[in-house]
Amino acid sequence: MFRHFLLIARRNLLKRKFYSFINIIGLTIGMSCCVLIALYVQHQLSYDRYNTRHDRIYRVLQTFRSVEKGQKITSPVAEDYQVWGCAPVGPALLADFPQVKEVVQFMSPVSLLLEYGDKRIQQENLICIDSTAFKVFSWKLLEGNPQTALVAPNSIVLTHTVAEKFFGHNNALGKTLRVDNEDLFTVTGVVADVPANSQITFNGLISMSTARNWREDDFKYWGYVDFYTYFLLKDHAEIAGMTAEIPAFLKRHNSEDPGYTIAFERMDDAYLNSKATRQPGPVGSMSNIYLFCCIGVIILVIACVNFMNLSTARSLERAKEVGVRKALGVQPSTLRWQFLLESILISMLAATLAVVLTKLSLPLVSALSGKEVDPKVFFSGQLALWMFILTLTTGILAGVYPAWFLSRFKPTEVLKGVFRPSHRNISLRKALVIFQFTLSITLIAGTAIVYTELKFLNNHDLGFTKDQMLVLNFEGDAQVRKNIESIKKTIADQPGVLSVAASRAVPGEFLPNAGTDSQRPDGQMENNGPLIYEIDFDFIPCLQIPLVAGRNFSREYLTDSTQAMVINEAAAKLYGYRHPADAIGKKFAQWGREGKIIGVVKDFNFRSLHTAVEPLTLRYGMPNSLNRIVVAIKAGHIASSIEAIKKTWKTVAPQRPFLYHFLDQSFNEQYESDQHFGDLLSLFSCLAIFIACLGLFGLATFTAQQRIKEIGIHKVLGASVYDIVVLIGKDFMLLVLIAIVIAIPLCVLVMNQWLKDFAYRVSISPGIFIFTAALALLIALVTISWQTVRAALTNPVRSLKNE
C-alpha cells in the first residue's frame, strides 16, 4: 500500500508540474529561512557555553549610589547594577564564602604598543587578569603552563593570531616584547583564539601582578571602579545561600558606604538576559531572538498556507479521483494517509533543496547578522535530526487540512458532476490569503520603521560636529603627552586643518564616573557620580559644542587648568538648577580638585542615542591624562590633510605608529547591531512577501483557468483587457486591502515595543503605512496581472469552442 501511495504521489507531482513547483519552492524558501534563523538563534544562545563549567560560573554585579546622611535608600533595580566594579570584593568573596572555589578578576581592556624586532603593532584589547583565569574559563593554552603563565609580573599570554603576527609559526614561549617603548614583557603562553560566541574577548592576557606594580593602590579601595569579578562555585554549591548572606557580607567589609551593594548573576545570563551596565563585551537581545523565531515560524506558515490554498483550490481536479476510489471501497482514512504522504513527499523534496539553499545563503546571512556561523554544523547529526523533525512537521502542517478536505468528497455528487466547492471552503481560502498578507505586510512595515529609525539616528543632531573629524590615537604615549602643545601646533599648521584639540576620550568611547561634590542652590554640597571628560582648552570649540551659560576654558585664566569645571545641562539639573546660568560660580570638589563652575554646555549626545544624555562634567586634563588628538579638517581636503598629518607625525612622534579613525564612523559603530537587525529583518520580509505572492500567483493562475470560458464570453461581448483584469483581480485586491487594515495596528503594537530601546526615536507616521500599503498593492497587482492579462489575451474561440 505504501508503495502504491508513493506511485500515485509521484504521478500527481509530475502531472501538475507548475503547482508542484510553486509548492516546493515556497516550502524550500520557508524551511531554509527556518534553518537560517535557527542557526542564528543557536549561535546567540550558545554564548559562553564553550566554558565546560559555565553552569557554575557567576559574576558580581555592583551598584555605586550616592546617599546623603540619614537618607533612606530603596533596593536597587536591575538597571542600577553594573558589571564593572571594585577590586576588594573578589578576595573578600573567596575568604567569606566556602561555596566559592575560584575567583578571577580582570580589568578594562588596554591598547599597548608591542614591539619585537622590526615589527611594531599597536595591539588593542589586552586585559590584565588573575592567574586563576585558566581554572575558571575554558581557554585552551597552546603553549605554556596554565598554572604559572599569569603569575609573574610583566608576563603576557598572546592569542594564536597575535603570536603569529610577531613570531610566525615559530615557538613564542620565552620571547621578549617591548611595550610602549619602555617595559619588557615575556611571552609565557599562547592561547587559542577565543570562540566567536564569547562575551569576554581579548588579544592578549597580562598578569594581574603587572597591574599591581602599575597602580597598587587601586586594588585596595571599595570605591575605585575598574575590575570585573567572576567566580566558580564548588560542585553542588547553591548560589541562593550566598545571596542571602550579602547584607552581612557588606556590613563586614564596606559598612561605611550604604549606596554600595552587590548581586550575583549567572554567566549563562550575561549575554542575553542581563540588564546591568558596563558590560565586558557585546550583549545580545532576547526580544530580538523571540522576534526572529516568530519570523521563522511566520515564513514557514505562509509557505504551508500556500500549499493548503492551492490544494483545496484544485479540489475540483481531484474530485473525480476521490469519487472513483471511494466507489471502489477505499476508506476515507486511507485517502487521508495518501494525501498526507503526498504532502510529506513534497516536504522532503523541499527540505533537500532547503539544505542546499541554506548552505549557499550562509555567507550572506553571516554578513548581514555580523555573526559568523560555523559551516561544520551542516555535517552534524543534530542538524539532520532537526531537519527530519522540520520536514515531518511541515509536511503534516501543510497537508493535514487538504487531506481531510479532499477525503470528505461524496462519490455520488462527484460522479454525477454536481459537486461544487462550498462557500465555506472558498471563505477559508480567502481567510488564508488575508492571513498570509497580514503577516507579510506587518514585516514590510516593521522593516520600514526600523530603517526610518536608523536613518533618524544617523541624521540626528548630536549637539557637536562629528563630520570631517580625524581622531589620532596615541594611547597616552609619554613623549606625545610631554610635547602635546607643540605637536598640536605643528598639525594645526598643515593645509586643510581647521582646528586641533586633545582629550582623554572622544564621543562614543568609554567615560568614567567621578565622585563629585557640587554646591546646590541652597548652598549645601551634594555628592553625585556624573561622567567626566578630561579635555584641553580647544576641545569644546573644536567640536563646536554650544555653550548655554558662562564660558569655555581659557588660557587667559591661569586657574582654569586647576580650579574650573564646565558641566552640561543634565548635570545642572542633577544638582538642582532649573536655569543653567544659576550654576555659574558654584563650588565643586572632584578627584582632588576644588574650584568653581565656569560654564554650562548644551546637552550633547556623547553616547549612543539608545540612552538619554547623562550628567557630564568637563574639566581641563593635564597632559598625563590625554590619549586622543582631534583634528577638524576642511571639506574636500581629507585625503591631502591625512597625508600631510601622517608625514608630520613621523617627525614629531617617530616612536608611535600613525593610527587614526574618523569620529563619525566610530560613533556610528554603536548602531552596528541595530543595522544588522534591520538587514536581517528586510531579508526575511522580502522572502515572506515573495512566498505570499508565489501562492497568490498560483491561485490567480488557477482562477484564470477555471474562469477561462467566462473570460471568453466577456471578450465576445466587448470587454477590454483592462475589464478582464479588474474582473479577476478585484477579489484578490480586496483581500490584500483587508490584510493591510489588520496589519497596521499589529505592526504599531510590535514596533512600539522595539522602539522603547531608544531614548531618541521616531514616531510611527501614517506615511510609513501608506508606503507599505501602496507597495503591497502594487506587488499583488503585478502578481495577479501576469496571469490575468495572459488569460485576457487568449483568443475566445479557443476557450468557447467546446460550448
Side-chain angles (χ1 to χ4, degrees):
M1 182 65 72
F2 182 76
R3 184 179 176 185
H4 176 68
F5 285 171
L6 285 177
L7 181 63
I8 294 175
R10 177 176 173 273
R11 286 176 179 172
N12 274 302
L13 284 175
L14 295 176
K15 182 179 178 182
R16 301 171 179 87
K17 296 183 180 65
F18 174 73
Y19 298 106
S20 298
F21 172 80
I22 288 179
N23 281 328
I24 291 173
I25 290 299
L27 288 175
T28 296
I29 296 174
M31 295 173 78
S32 180
C33 288
C34 275
V35 175
L36 287 170
I37 289 174
L39 291 175
Y40 172 76
V41 169
Q42 182 188 42
H43 179 271
Q44 294 287 285
L45 294 176
S46 70
Y47 258 75
D48 297 322
R49 302 299 174 94
Y50 68 88
N51 289 290
T52 55
R53 297 173 291 273
H54 63 85
D55 57 328
R56 292 193 287 126
I57 299 176
Y58 286 77
R59 61 185 187 176
V60 181
L61 306 182
Q62 306 178 49
T63 64
F64 300 85
R65 295 184 291 170
S66 300
V67 182
E68 295 293 323
K69 188 175 182 180
Q71 176 187 350
K72 289 185 178 179
I73 187 168
T74 57
S75 298
V77 296
E79 290 80 6
D80 290 333
Y81 287 98
Q82 61 185 48
V83 191
W84 198 52
C86 61
V89 70
L93 284 175
L94 189 61
D96 284 25
F97 293 104
Q99 301 97 318
V100 177
K101 184 175 184 180
E102 299 286 353
V103 171
V104 59
Q105 292 182 302
F106 57 93
M107 302 176 72
S108 303
V110 295
S111 174
L112 299 175
L113 179 62
L114 304 183
E115 182 177 357
Y116 180 78
D118 60 348
K119 296 177 181 177
R120 300 171 71 243
I121 300 173
Q122 184 73 35
Q123 190 60 63
E124 305 284 340
N125 205 17
L126 303 173
I127 60 175
C128 294
I129 193 166
D130 284 331
S131 58
T132 53
F134 296 107
K135 295 180 181 179
V136 177
F137 304 120
S138 302
W139 298 332
K140 184 179 180 182
L141 203 61
L142 305 177
E143 296 179 33
N145 185 341
Q147 304 297 324
T148 60
L150 292 169
V151 174
N154 289 14
S155 298
I156 185 169
V157 175
L158 302 176
T159 62
H160 177 68
T161 298
V162 174
E164 280 198 336
K165 290 180 184 178
F166 288 101
F167 313 112
H169 297 292
N170 299 321
N171 192 324
L173 212 59
K175 298 291 195 304
T176 301
L177 293 171
R178 189 172 180 82
V179 179
D180 279 350
N181 300 305
E182 295 179 356
D183 299 325
L184 296 177
F185 280 18
T186 302
V187 179
T188 54
V190 175
V191 64
D193 291 349
V194 181
N197 57 345
S198 176
Q199 191 189 39
I200 303 171
T201 61
F202 55 84
N203 291 314
L205 304 172
I206 301 170
S207 61
M208 189 66 90
S209 56
T210 308
R212 285 184 178 273
N213 288 343
W214 287 342
R215 38 203 277 203
E216 185 176 359
D217 289 343
D218 296 344
F219 288 77
K220 302 175 183 178
Y221 301 125
W222 286 83
Y224 183 82
V225 178
D226 197 19
F227 298 85
Y228 297 94
T229 304
Y230 286 68
F231 61 90
L232 177 67
L233 286 182
K234 293 178 181 177
D235 291 335
H236 311 299
E238 296 291 337
I239 197 67
M242 291 182 60
T243 302
E245 295 179 40
I246 286 177
F249 171 82
L250 294 175
K251 188 175 182 180
R252 285 194 299 271
H253 293 282
N254 196 20
S255 58
E256 295 180 359
D257 185 1
Y260 176 80
T261 188
I262 64 172
F264 305 129
E265 183 174 65
R266 296 173 62 222
M267 191 177 192
D268 288 350
D269 294 329
Y271 179 71
L272 286 174
N273 297 308
S274 179
K275 294 183 179 180
T277 59
R278 304 289 191 179
Q279 296 281 347
V283 293
S285 169
M286 201 64 199
S287 60
N288 284 356
I289 295 294
Y290 291 139
L291 184 58
F292 278 123
C293 287
C294 290
I295 290 172
V297 172
I298 286 170
I299 292 176
L300 186 61
V301 167
I302 290 173
C304 292
V305 166
N306 280 352
F307 186 96
M308 295 166 61
N309 250 342
L310 288 175
S311 296
T312 54
R314 289 172 44 240
S315 57
L316 285 174
E317 293 184 7
R318 303 199 66 176
K320 290 184 179 180
E321 174 194 343
V322 173
V324 169
R325 298 188 68 191
K326 276 194 170 184
L328 294 175
V330 177
Q331 296 297 316
S333 60
T334 304
L335 289 172
R336 283 194 286 271
W337 277 111
Q338 177 198 323
F339 294 130
L340 201 56
L341 183 64
E342 287 183 22
S343 173
I344 293 173
L345 180 61
I346 290 175
S347 181
M348 289 173 61
L349 293 172
T352 304
L353 293 174
V355 171
V356 176
L357 181 61
T358 302
K359 185 83 165 59
L360 296 174
S361 305
L362 201 57
L364 172 64
V365 174
S366 294
L368 293 177
S369 65
K371 304 294 182 183
E372 200 66 38
V373 181
D374 189 354
K376 293 179 183 177
V377 72
F378 285 93
F379 304 101
S380 67
Q382 187 180 21
L383 180 65
L385 175 63
W386 281 110
M387 284 305 300
F388 173 76
I389 295 173
L390 180 63
T391 301
L392 195 62
T393 303
T394 303
I396 294 173
L397 184 64
V400 66
Y401 177 74
W404 174 81
F405 175 74
L406 292 170
S407 65
R408 291 180 67 249
F409 290 167
K410 296 180 180 179
T412 53
E413 294 180 0
V414 171
L415 296 178
K416 287 181 180 179
V418 297
F419 171 77
R420 291 289 184 274
S422 67
H423 289 294
R424 184 175 63 182
N425 294 327
I426 294 173
S427 298
L428 176 63
R429 287 204 301 277
K430 291 180 178 180
L432 291 175
V433 170
I434 293 171
F435 176 73
Q436 281 183 308
F437 272 88
T438 296
L439 298 179
S440 301
I441 292 166
T442 300
L443 288 177
I444 292 175
T447 302
I449 292 169
V450 168
Y451 277 103
T452 302
E453 174 65 16
L454 291 176
K455 183 179 179 181
F456 172 78
L457 296 180
N458 289 327
N459 297 329
H460 181 71
D461 182 9
L462 300 174
F464 67 92
T465 301
K466 62 183 175 70
D467 297 327
Q468 278 86 51
M469 288 289 177
L470 191 72
V471 180
L472 306 183
N473 178 5
F474 63 90
E475 287 296 346
D477 183 271
Q479 290 299 314
V480 176
R481 283 176 168 176
K482 182 179 178 181
N483 303 304
I484 189 70
E485 287 301 323
S486 62
I487 291 174
K488 284 172 53 184
K489 185 178 184 308
T490 305
I491 293 174
D493 290 338
Q494 303 307 308
V497 174
L498 293 172
S499 59
V500 183
S503 64
R504 179 175 177 173
V506 294
E509 293 183 339
F510 166 78
L511 294 178
N513 293 87
T516 306
D517 291 303
S518 184
Q519 197 173 16
R520 297 185 311 203
D522 61 5
Q524 298 297 314
M525 300 298 286
E526 178 181 334
N527 180 266
N528 283 293
L531 297 165
I532 179 174
Y533 253 130
E534 294 188 90
I535 62 176
D536 70 355
F537 294 111
D538 306 306
F539 186 83
I540 291 175
C542 182
L543 271 68
Q544 298 182 24
I545 302 171
L547 279 159
V548 294
R551 61 177 179 83
N552 179 33
F553 297 106
S554 173
R555 292 179 176 85
E556 297 179 3
Y557 297 89
L558 296 179
T559 57
D560 275 10
S561 60
T562 56
Q563 300 175 25
M565 186 169 72
V566 174
I567 62 176
N568 69 350
E569 293 173 296
K573 292 176 183 176
L574 176 67
Y575 287 102
Y577 296 101
R578 295 180 58 188
H579 304 291
D582 296 339
I584 303 302
K586 296 300 187 289
K587 297 178 182 179
F588 78 89
Q590 180 191 71
W591 280 6
R593 188 178 295 185
E594 296 181 2
K596 294 183 178 180
I597 296 171
I598 62 169
V600 179
V601 295
K602 187 177 179 63
D603 282 343
F604 65 100
N605 297 101
F606 52 89
R607 281 185 172 172
S608 161
L609 294 174
H610 279 276
T611 58
V613 176
E614 298 177 64
L616 176 70
T617 61
L618 303 97
R619 74 178 196 175
Y620 180 82
M622 295 300 179
N624 62 3
S625 66
L626 304 177
N627 294 315
R628 306 284 187 268
I629 294 176
V630 185
V631 184
I633 300 176
K634 293 178 183 177
H637 293 75
I638 292 178
S640 59
S641 295
I642 290 175
E643 191 60 34
I645 295 169
K646 183 177 181 180
K647 291 179 181 179
T648 301
W649 190 260
K650 290 180 179 179
T651 303
V652 298
Q655 79 285 355
R656 172 63 51 177
F658 181 66
L659 303 174
Y660 70 90
H661 64 270
F662 285 98
L663 183 56
D664 57 344
Q665 293 175 349
S666 61
F667 193 85
N668 290 339
E669 285 175 1
Q670 298 175 107
Y671 311 116
E672 188 175 359
S673 60
D674 300 311
Q675 186 65 51
H676 287 315
F677 173 77
D679 291 341
L680 281 178
L681 186 61
S682 62
L683 171 65
F684 292 125
S685 298
C686 289
L687 291 175
I689 196 69
F690 174 76
I691 296 172
C693 288
L694 201 64
L696 193 62
F697 181 78
L699 280 178
T701 302
F702 180 79
T703 301
Q705 290 174 353
Q706 292 294 308
R707 300 177 68 177
I708 192 68
K709 290 184 173 62
E710 178 186 349
I711 292 171
I713 293 171
H714 278 284
K715 288 199 70 176
V716 169
L717 295 176
S720 64
V721 173
Y722 172 79
D723 295 329
I724 301 300
V725 171
V726 172
L727 175 70
I728 302 297
K730 64 181 180 181
D731 291 338
F732 289 113
M733 298 303 288
L734 179 61
L735 300 181
V736 176
L737 282 171
I738 295 173
I740 291 170
V741 173
I742 299 173
I744 289 174
L746 179 62
C747 182
V748 170
L749 180 66
V750 173
M751 295 313 297
N752 270 331
Q753 290 298 315
W754 181 77
L755 287 170
K756 284 182 178 179
D757 287 339
F758 298 88
Y760 302 87
R761 51 184 177 265
V762 295
S763 56
I764 301 178
S765 67
I768 291 175
F769 296 109
I770 293 172
F771 165 78
T772 304
L775 181 62
L777 287 170
L778 178 63
I779 293 173
L781 182 61
V782 171
T783 302
I784 296 165
S785 298
W786 179 267
Q787 283 297 329
T788 308
V789 170
R790 184 179 176 184
L793 293 174
T794 302
N795 190 332
V797 174
R798 292 176 59 188
S799 57
L800 298 175
K801 62 182 179 180
N802 292 327
E803 291 297 321

